[in-house]
Amino acid sequence: MSGPVIEARGLSKWYGAVIGLNDVTCEVGPGITGLLGPNGAGKSTFLRLVSGQLRPSAGEVRVLGATPWNAPEALGRIGFCPDEDAFWDGLSGLEFVTALGRVSGLPRARARERAAEVLEQVGMKEHMGRRIRGYSKGMRQRTKLAQALVHDPALLVLDEPLTGADPVGRRELRALIQRLAAAGKHVIVSSHVLHEVEALTSTVLLIARGRVLAAGQVQELRALLDEHPHRIAIRCDRARELARTVVAMPHVVGVDVEASAVHLRTTDPAAFYAAIPGALLEVGATLEELASEDDDLSALFQYLVRR
Amino acid sequence: MPVVASGYRRWEGVRRGRAWRWLVLARAGVRLTGRSRWLFRFILMAWLPLLYYGVAFFVVGQLTEQRTIDAARGMWQFDVLRGMFGTPLAERFIEDPAGHRPAIWSALIYMFLHYTQIFCVMIVVALVGPRLVSEDLRSRALTLYLARPITRLDYIVGKLAVVCFWVGTVTLLPALALYALSIAFSPSVEALTHTIAVVPRVTLVSLALMVGTGAPMLALSAVFPNPRLLAFLWAGAWLMSSVASRVLGLALFPGTREGDWTGLVSVSANFDAIAFRVFDIDGLLRPAAEVSPRLLRTLERFTPGHDPLWSVALLLAVAALSLAVVAVRVGRPGEASAR
Amino acid sequence: MSGQAGAMLAVAELELRRMLGGPRPWVLGALALGVAALGFVVRRFAPAPDDPAAWGFLYVLLLMFLFLQTLGILVPLLHTSGLVRDDLEEGTLVYLFTRPLPKPLVFLAKLLAAGGLSAAILAAGMLAFHVAFALGAGASPSGAGVTTHLLPFVAAGALGVAGYGALFAFVGLLTRRGLVLGIVYGFVSELVLANIPAVVRQLTLMHYLRSVALSRVADGLSSEEEVRELLGVLDLVPAGQAALTVLVVAGVAVLASLVAVSRIEFAGEQQVEGD
């Protein structure tokens, strides 16, 4: 298809006096898109609007060209994986996915066949006959993903699908999502962890306090990060001497000194990282730790919100 | 320059005495359950019968203000009183208000509790009780509670106090308010001295309702995690036991209350029996009923077929068993929350 | 089977599995058996009346009190007042409401499953009672009284499930406190107001259900007047008219529910009406 997969125009959602999403206008294209934002940013509200669970308070959202609220046909092209860890626990994985395949309109036999296929696809083939009650967190996440896939939707809406999975499980789920995208599915996946989304896709939508702060490529966001002074912490001996040296660097705009640490802000992190070995050698300091205090989403959000 | 330690600082203030630790849980529970708008609406509704009984006390108060018996007899208020209690008791009352005040006062407040407030107790307990323990077990909050210097006993007493508080808002408080209203409508302070026994009676019956409903509800909440099923069980037990008692009474003891033990089967009939004895309804109304067939019929309808002491014993046994169940469940929080 | 019918069947099957899982069926089973046992005890230990036909009165009385006026309200209340809320609170509603099946049809499938199960439980309970009553008399169960007493009560029970089930399901859509409100309604309207003569009673469903239940009782008993006097029901309406009234009430409640379910948002934290 041509055109955006998801298109929001002035989209707002409020719950009584609380604003969940505030006048959002954005487009989500084909492939995988990461929806990034801290907890309470409005990610789940956006995904619930996209998956037709909520009706916009103002504006509109179109998914694959149709509005999803009370639109069964549009929902047939969307597969939603919720963040809640909820199931009909008495069912087996196969029964669960089969039932939801049937609710999606597949005949009983076809639903069972298709459920077995998608469960195999998510790596649950060996466990699909067992009751969900006994599943691990990772297995439950995969089962939720399988139910979103069972009716072969064009768009997958995944709300925090990696939360709670162990590191190996996360890697496998990421690989699976990438395989699905490679097979032609559009995926929108929410997370509050930048590197997690970065490992999945280079296209992101940043959301905070109910507003879209930025949309585009991760590299562009990185560049935005680079535009504002980076905070870097250096743990070493001879901290006072080192501070004296770094403060003379033209791109360093502020320095705080502690007994065995220097905290500084630089407008050119690359130049700073290139210069720091020389500075350490110059003062004869032994480096214990060098860490960026900025390399997380919250710093980026704070910066973008300030702009 | 003083240096302030930034590490863990032990609480050095005055601690609340051991005996009052349950109060913290009770307060928190009351605050949390009190957020429900439905509970608030229902309690407001539960106070509505006060209007009806307030009018009754007003009528009684007006009659006692009349200088002559004939003047009182000519008032519409006298007809109302006759409608409520029958002519003989109404006549006796206007002839000797002081002598018959305790009977009228006790009967009115007993009826107030009997007709509407017991039903309100069932609903209020169904509104506040189901999540009291089950939510703590489900969310593992119990482990947090018991990690503090709070014992199982503190926990149980605290939770029981929450139910007692809300039951009190539909029994003890409105009944005392009604009593205060009746005193306010009385022409002399004499009324207070004649009827002061109503206060301990109301308190005792309310206490029976508080413990008798609170303890089983806590036990159910500790056993059943689904609040909807629990509320159903609760209401089902009241209604089914009441119907079963009525059916058994009609079938096994047709036309007589002699030896009729079937009231013991019914939750509400047991509370009624206790209230009947505590208010000494039989002792107070029997003399007037002897000369009024209508009052006698009403009195016999209310008179429990069994000795109310059996109801007290049953209530105590159920409460003790319920609290034991809660203690066992609370004693194994990990096991319960893993379910 | 068309796609939507198959999808509705799948929703109904899920609903039935949910209702039959956990302690709920045990509680209801115990209640129904308890009531049947009561029938046995009453028949076995009640003093023999002068007129043997009075056993028939007692039988009708028990069916009326225990089933129509109590279980007949409680069972649909339990099954339908949380039709959507239970799934919402358990977090499973999202699986049904993000599918290409219109939400009103999801609701309807759940309602039919819940209503069917409630009616089946009531009918099984009444049958168990019939058998227990016969056993209490020291006789083996027979077909006597089935068509004149039991079947009208089974029909009234099923109609009650339709009427009360639709009402409670509607209330349950609007508020989290559907069950408690249903209890208050059941007690105040169907047990208290239904016993007030004249117009007041005609505003309750119970009046029409009694009319259906007692429609053929006179055929099996010697004195219709006595039965009616005993039950305090003196102004019954014809059974057909009564059934139609209940079905109209049920239909209106279902329609209102279908409209409500397509308009209410059942997701998020605050948009669902709190308690």
Side-chain angles (χ1 to χ4, degrees):
Chain A
M1 65 164 278
S2 60
V5 175
I6 301 169
E7 192 181 4
R9 294 271 169 265
L11 183 64
S12 298
K13 180 70 205 174
W14 49 81
Y15 310 123
V18 178
I19 296 181
L21 211 61
N22 188 5
D23 194 22
V24 165
T25 296
C26 65
E27 288 185 352
V28 172
I32 306 178
T33 301
L35 183 64
L36 268 170
N39 291 329
K43 301 187 297 290
S44 290
T45 299
F46 183 71
L47 296 186
R48 283 172 177 157
L49 285 157
V50 165
S51 56
Q53 296 173 66
L54 296 177
R55 177 177 39 201
S57 305
E60 70 160 356
V61 61
R62 298 184 80 80
V63 180
L64 301 165
T67 50
W69 170 251
N70 274 350
E73 279 185 22
L75 294 181
R77 285 178 280 154
I78 300 171
F80 182 74
C81 175
D83 64 337
E84 294 102 339
D85 185 39
F87 295 90
W88 293 285
D89 277 351
L91 305 184
S92 70
L94 182 63
E95 286 170 335
F96 176 70
V97 181
T98 303
L100 292 175
R102 290 176 61 207
V103 181
S104 299
L106 301 178
R108 192 187 291 264
R110 175 69 190 128
R112 195 176 172 83
E113 201 178 289
R114 178 74 188 141
E117 268 171 42
V118 289
L119 281 163
E120 188 175 350
Q121 204 176 346
V122 300
M124 287 292 294
K125 186 181 177 187
E126 287 169 21
H127 311 288
M128 63 186 176
R130 277 173 46 197
R131 289 202 170 186
I132 297 175
R133 190 174 292 143
Y135 282 4
S136 68
K137 177 79 183 173
M139 288 155 78
R140 292 163 83 92
Q141 292 286 45
R142 285 156 196 265
T143 308
K144 278 199 293 186
L145 195 56
Q147 65 77 31
L149 285 167
V150 69
H151 55 299
D152 195 22
L155 169 67
L156 280 171
V157 179
L158 313 178
D159 196 358
E160 307 263 4
L162 305 177
T163 306
D166 57 38
V168 177
R170 281 166 187 257
R171 201 175 59 226
E172 289 174 357
L173 279 169
R174 278 199 302 263
L176 173 65
I177 293 168
Q178 280 166 331
R179 281 203 304 277
L180 290 167
K185 303 258 182 252
H186 310 300
V187 183
I188 180 163
V189 52
S190 73
S191 173
H192 55 274
V193 184
L194 176 60
H195 68 81
E196 211 164 73
V197 172
E198 222 173 347
L200 261 176
T201 177
S202 59
T203 310
V204 292
L205 194 65
L206 242 80
I207 190 167
R209 298 179 194 173
R211 304 191 79 123
V212 170
L213 295 181
Q217 300 297 301
V218 173
Q219 296 87 324
E220 292 168 337
L221 292 174
R222 284 276 177 214
L224 274 177
L225 268 173
D226 290 346
E227 271 177 26
H228 80 289
H230 269 219
R231 290 180 298 144
I232 293 169
I234 305 167
R235 295 205 161 274
C236 63
D237 58 355
R238 306 178 71 85
R240 191 158 292 280
E241 289 82 348
L242 180 67
R244 214 173 287 135
T245 305
V246 297
V247 83
M249 295 177 183
H251 46 75
V252 172
V253 293
V255 176
D256 289 323
V257 191
E258 286 175 11
S260 55
V262 179
H263 300 271
L264 57 91
R265 286 180 297 131
T266 171
T267 53
D268 189 349
F272 175 78
Y273 288 126
I276 192 65
L280 285 164
L281 282 173
E282 189 185 319
V283 298
T286 307
L287 178 70
E288 286 175 23
E289 187 185 3
L290 176 73
S292 164
E293 293 182 327
D294 258 356
D295 196 17
D296 59 10
L297 265 185
S298 59
L300 178 61
F301 287 128
Q302 280 166 16
Y303 171 60
L304 290 170
V305 168
R306 273 201 303 269
R307 259 162 53 109
Chain B
M1 187 175 123
V3 176
V4 180
S6 57
Y8 178 77
R9 275 180 284 171
R10 188 169 286 280
W11 171 253
E12 283 168 4
V14 180
R15 287 194 191 196
R16 191 185 285 276
R18 262 220 60 77
W20 295 99
R21 286 183 191 164
W22 60 271
L23 199 58
V24 180
L25 285 168
R27 272 194 197 148
V30 167
R31 218 173 22 243
L32 278 172
T33 47
R35 284 183 191 163
S36 164
R37 274 180 290 158
W38 279 109
L39 179 64
F40 184 70
R41 286 172 196 159
F42 186 78
I43 288 174
L44 272 185
M45 220 172 74
W47 278 61
L48 285 181
L50 218 66
L51 294 177
Y52 172 83
Y53 289 95
V55 168
F57 275 115
F58 173 73
V59 163
V60 172
Q62 291 275 302
L63 285 175
T64 50
E65 274 184 22
Q66 301 311 307
R67 289 189 181 174
T68 64
I69 294 171
D70 283 339
R73 209 171 270 140
M75 293 171 72
W76 63 266
Q77 284 92 337
F78 180 65
D79 295 329
V80 174
L81 194 67
R82 278 171 42 192
M84 278 183 192
F85 294 100
T87 307
L89 184 57
E91 287 279 0
R92 284 179 180 207
F93 178 72
I94 55 168
E95 283 164 13
D96 175 18
H100 289 87
R101 216 179 249 130
I104 301 272
W105 254 242
S106 295
L108 281 174
I109 293 184
Y110 166 76
M111 284 197 290
F112 170 64
L113 289 170
H114 168 88
Y115 277 120
T116 52
Q117 300 319 101
I118 286 187
F119 172 70
C120 294
V121 168
M122 177 188 87
I123 297 296
V124 161
V125 175
L127 282 168
V128 299
R131 289 172 202 266
L132 273 182
V133 180
S134 66
E135 196 67 12
D136 287 346
L137 291 172
R138 194 190 58 76
S139 65
R140 298 171 196 241
L142 194 60
T143 324
L144 281 179
Y145 283 134
L146 298 180
R148 326 248 147 213
I150 286 174
T151 61
R152 272 194 289 175
L153 186 65
D154 293 330
Y155 178 83
I156 294 170
V157 173
K159 292 288 178 179
L160 187 60
V162 178
V163 185
C164 291
F165 176 85
W166 291 116
V167 170
T169 61
V170 295
T171 52
L172 185 62
L173 282 184
L176 289 181
L178 188 60
Y179 178 68
L181 210 63
S182 68
I183 296 296
F185 286 139
S186 299
S188 65
V189 230
E190 215 183 30
L192 185 69
T193 52
H194 285 152
T195 58
I196 193 70
V198 166
V199 175
R201 283 173 174 166
V202 162
T203 310
L204 208 58
V205 170
S206 299
L207 208 63
L209 281 163
M210 289 172 186
V211 177
T213 56
M217 177 44 93
L218 286 192
L220 287 171
S221 176
V223 173
F224 291 97
N226 182 339
R228 200 182 301 280
L229 179 65
L230 209 165
F232 169 82
L233 264 178
W234 181 251
W238 278 68
L239 295 178
M240 287 303 293
S241 69
S242 168
V243 171
S245 156
R246 196 167 154 206
V247 161
L248 282 172
L250 276 171
L252 304 184
F253 300 93
T256 174
R257 302 302 307 271
E258 196 64 39
D260 183 352
W261 48 265
T262 55
L264 284 168
V265 174
S266 158
V267 179
S268 54
N270 276 299
F271 286 123
D272 276 341
I274 293 170
F276 190 86
R277 169 63 67 88
V278 170
F279 279 94
D280 191 22
I281 296 298
D282 191 64
L284 291 169
L285 294 186
R286 181 66 64 182
E290 297 296 347
V291 289
S292 163
R294 201 184 124 223
L295 186 61
L296 187 65
R297 272 201 306 277
T298 311
L299 187 63
E300 290 194 334
R301 190 155 57 84
F302 283 121
T303 306
H306 62 278
D307 188 339
L309 282 178
W310 282 109
S311 292
V312 175
L314 193 63
L315 184 148
L316 290 175
V318 169
L321 185 70
S322 303
L323 294 179
V325 169
V326 185
V328 169
R329 296 286 294 168
V330 169
R332 300 180 199 147
E335 190 184 295
S337 55
R339 284 158 65 90
Chain C
M1 190 183 295
S2 80
Q4 279 196 339
M8 285 177 69
L9 188 62
V11 174
E13 281 176 24
L14 278 170
E15 184 64 20
L16 282 175
R17 287 190 75 150
R18 195 174 66 80
M19 288 190 297
L20 293 172
R24 221 189 301 213
W26 296 103
V27 168
L28 287 176
L31 264 179
L33 280 181
V35 168
L38 205 61
F40 176 85
V41 169
V42 165
R43 181 64 184 84
R44 177 81 182 77
F45 298 107
D50 298 336
D51 177 8
W55 287 122
F57 299 151
L58 196 60
Y59 176 92
V60 169
L61 193 74
L62 291 176
L63 277 175
M64 177 72 82
F65 283 153
L66 297 171
F67 286 97
L68 205 59
Q69 293 188 179
T70 313
L71 282 183
I73 300 174
L74 288 175
V75 173
L77 176 66
L78 178 68
H79 283 144
T80 62
S81 64
L83 217 48
V84 170
R85 297 275 158 186
D86 277 352
D87 267 321
L88 183 67
E89 283 169 19
E90 286 160 19
T92 45
L93 191 68
V94 62
Y95 296 120
L96 301 175
F97 278 7
T98 52
R99 303 278 150 188
L101 180 66
K103 284 186 278 183
L105 293 186
V106 172
F107 174 82
L108 198 59
K110 286 164 89 65
L111 183 62
L112 289 173
L117 183 66
S118 301
I121 287 172
L122 277 179
M126 287 188 208
L127 192 63
F129 169 82
H130 180 80
V131 172
F133 199 81
L135 291 177
S140 47
S142 69
V146 168
T147 51
T148 52
H149 301 164
L150 187 63
L151 282 183
F153 268 94
V154 170
L159 278 169
V161 166
Y164 294 127
L167 281 178
F168 296 145
F170 177 60
V171 175
L173 277 176
L174 303 182
T175 170
R176 233 159 41 93
R177 298 292 190 182
L179 193 126
V180 177
L181 283 180
I183 292 168
V184 175
Y185 167 82
F187 185 84
V188 174
S189 171
E190 303 305 306
L191 297 182
V192 177
L193 297 185
N195 290 323
I196 297 175
V199 183
V200 179
R201 151 188 304 170
Q202 288 170 14
L203 298 174
T204 68
L205 281 181
M206 187 53 70
H207 176 65
Y208 302 97
L209 297 177
R210 281 174 181 160
S211 298
V212 174
L214 297 176
S215 57
R216 300 197 59 200
V217 77
D219 299 345
L221 296 174
S222 53
S223 163
E224 181 182 2
E225 291 310 314
E226 200 174 344
V227 174
R228 291 188 174 181
E229 196 180 333
L230 187 65
L231 298 171
V233 182
L234 301 164
D235 51 355
L236 300 177
V237 293
Q241 185 191 330
L244 190 66
T245 308
V246 176
L247 289 176
V248 167
V249 170
V252 170
V254 169
L255 277 178
S257 299
L258 297 182
V259 171
V261 85
S262 66
R263 297 176 70 91
I264 299 175
E265 298 163 287
F266 294 97
E269 293 78 28
Q270 303 185 36
Q271 63 274 49
V272 176
E273 201 257 347
D275 72 335

